[in-house]
Amino acid sequence: MKKRDFLSIADWSGEKLSALVEFSGQVKQNPRKYLKALEGKSIAMIFEKQSLRTHVTFDVALYELGAHGVYLTQADISLGKRESVYDTAKNLERWVDGVVVRTFAHTTCADLAASMRVPVINALTDHEHPCQAVGDFLTITERIGPVKGRKLVFIGDGNNVCHSLMILAGKLGMNFVAATPHGYEPDRKVVKLAAAAAKRLGARVDVSNNPREAVKDADVLYTDVWTSMGQETEREERMKAFREFQVNKRLIGRAKPKAIFMHCLPAHRGEEVTDQVMDSKQSVVFDEAENRLHSEKAILLTLLLDEK
């Protein structure tokens, strides 16, 4: 069987992604069915970046599926520095059945996958966050039902989370708008790819610099921090650029009355989102955090078992 990885939403067809979201829901509804399904398997978890949700959910997922997780920080292996990424990969593939990697450069994740015989899962790079997107779409379908023809608006920085959500929305026929300040738009290649996928299903992917116009008729409003890890020196400049992109009661009031609010967390309350929105009935931020556990189980099962 050809080795399967989960590096980018772009690598998977809309049909397989839809099935993955659906399977995530099945895992959530019947977790006991999958207890110990990966018994005897070992997974290396390489984390160059700090993490709460990704670390805990993958750790718990592996435990409940019966697998053994080996947690490795940059201090443990100095990926690409102490020895080449290739040499690290060729060692790890002799010991483990799969690798979860949370790193900075997307090329590091891709190079690991290209060098290994075992599956590699992208747990976040600077370019994409595919596990987050799957869990998010599980949350969206739970709250609003089928996504085809509905509208998701991402407000803020056109970052890794924006990229994964945009591509997944396009491949599932959901309208998507990235509302960003000038100079912070998502990658043009990602926009082109997502727009082409959306067009085939009668949907649209757009980029706007006007958040008030973008959120009209939105079913989902989504935001992320304005300054991510590794961008600390840009904080002052970003605070000025993103000032008009805060998700507050006034902005969410321009969306549909039953629109939901989402955030991948951690949130900087008072910056990209107000307490009034974070703690409102429209907010599903902690539901989506929980759903990361179920979607990551589904991803692990899909990649590591011949059959679900």
Side-chain angles (χ1 to χ4, degrees):
M1 184 176 67
K2 184 179 180 181
K3 181 172 84 77
R4 294 174 290 181
D5 301 304
F6 193 61
L7 308 183
S8 167
I9 295 294
D11 297 337
W12 287 43
S13 69
E15 291 77 11
K16 289 184 177 179
L17 290 164
S18 179
L20 185 58
V21 173
E22 183 179 350
F23 183 38
S24 300
Q26 293 171 10
V27 172
K28 180 178 181 177
Q29 293 301 316
N30 193 6
R32 294 184 64 83
K33 179 179 178 180
Y34 304 98
L35 283 176
K36 309 304 178 184
L38 298 182
E39 191 168 16
K41 295 188 181 294
S42 295
I43 307 297
M45 297 190 293
I46 302 173
F47 277 56
E48 289 188 308
K49 284 189 170 185
Q50 291 178 318
S51 173
L52 170 64
R53 278 151 294 279
T54 305
H55 183 179
V56 174
T57 53
F58 264 111
D59 225 9
V60 173
L62 290 170
Y63 171 77
E64 293 185 355
L65 294 174
H68 173 62
V70 182
Y71 187 71
L72 301 166
T73 68
Q74 183 68 348
D76 295 315
I77 61 174
S78 296
L79 190 62
K81 296 179 180 179
R82 185 163 173 261
E83 58 185 323
S84 69
V85 171
Y86 176 84
D87 286 354
T88 300
K90 300 317 285 183
N91 276 272
L92 285 173
E93 71 176 6
R94 302 296 181 101
W95 306 321
V96 300
D97 300 286
V99 173
V100 173
V101 59
R102 182 179 176 93
T103 185
F104 289 91
H106 191 79
T107 51
T108 301
C109 187
D111 288 348
L112 268 175
S115 304
M116 302 190 79
R117 295 174 296 185
V118 299
V120 175
I121 296 171
N122 174 3
L124 179 142
T125 67
D126 286 351
H127 187 68
E128 270 204 61
H129 199 351
C131 295
Q132 178 72 49
V134 176
D136 287 339
F137 269 75
L138 170 59
T139 309
I140 293 170
T141 56
E142 286 177 337
R143 287 304 184 111
I144 70 172
V147 300
K148 189 173 182 180
R150 307 301 283 268
K151 182 180 179 182
L152 191 166
V153 180
F154 184 94
I155 304 161
D157 190 13
N159 60 13
N160 49 1
V161 175
C162 179
H163 288 162
S164 290
L165 290 171
M166 177 185 292
I167 303 170
L168 187 48
K171 291 200 171 198
L172 298 185
M174 188 178 197
N175 297 301
F176 184 97
V177 182
T180 75
H182 288 285
Y184 294 92
E185 294 86 356
D187 186 291
R188 290 181 181 178
K189 292 181 180 178
V190 173
V191 175
K192 185 177 180 180
L193 186 155
K199 186 177 180 180
R200 288 192 288 270
L201 294 172
R204 290 179 56 89
V205 167
D206 296 300
V207 177
S208 170
N209 301 119
N210 187 331
R212 288 173 57 81
E213 290 297 319
V215 301
K216 286 182 178 179
D217 299 319
D219 297 285
V220 182
L221 271 66
Y222 199 119
T223 194
D224 193 2
V225 295
W226 293 342
T227 306
S228 298
M229 285 181 285
Q231 299 172 336
E232 288 79 8
T233 58
E234 304 172 25
R235 175 174 167 76
E236 187 174 341
E237 178 184 349
R238 283 174 169 265
M239 288 293 288
K240 293 177 182 178
F242 286 86
R243 188 167 45 199
E244 301 301 319
F245 289 78
Q246 183 187 73
V247 181
N248 49 40
K249 204 67 178 176
R250 184 183 305 168
L251 187 65
I252 201 170
R254 296 177 66 84
K256 288 183 179 178
K258 294 184 178 180
I260 60 173
F261 170 74
M262 304 183 74
H263 194 308
C264 54
L265 303 180
H268 293 169
R269 290 169 177 255
E271 292 183 14
E272 75 274 4
V273 61
T274 62
D275 286 342
Q276 196 175 18
V277 172
M278 271 284 288
D279 300 326
S280 70
K281 292 181 179 179
Q282 291 174 273
S283 175
V284 297
V285 297
F286 300 118
D287 291 336
E288 59 179 306
E290 177 197 333
N291 281 341
R292 288 285 304 280
L293 171 64
H294 311 302
S295 62
E296 285 161 6
K297 283 184 180 180
I299 292 165
L300 287 162
L301 289 164
T302 298
L303 296 182
L304 293 169
L305 294 181
D306 292 344
E307 297 179 354
K308 292 197 279 281

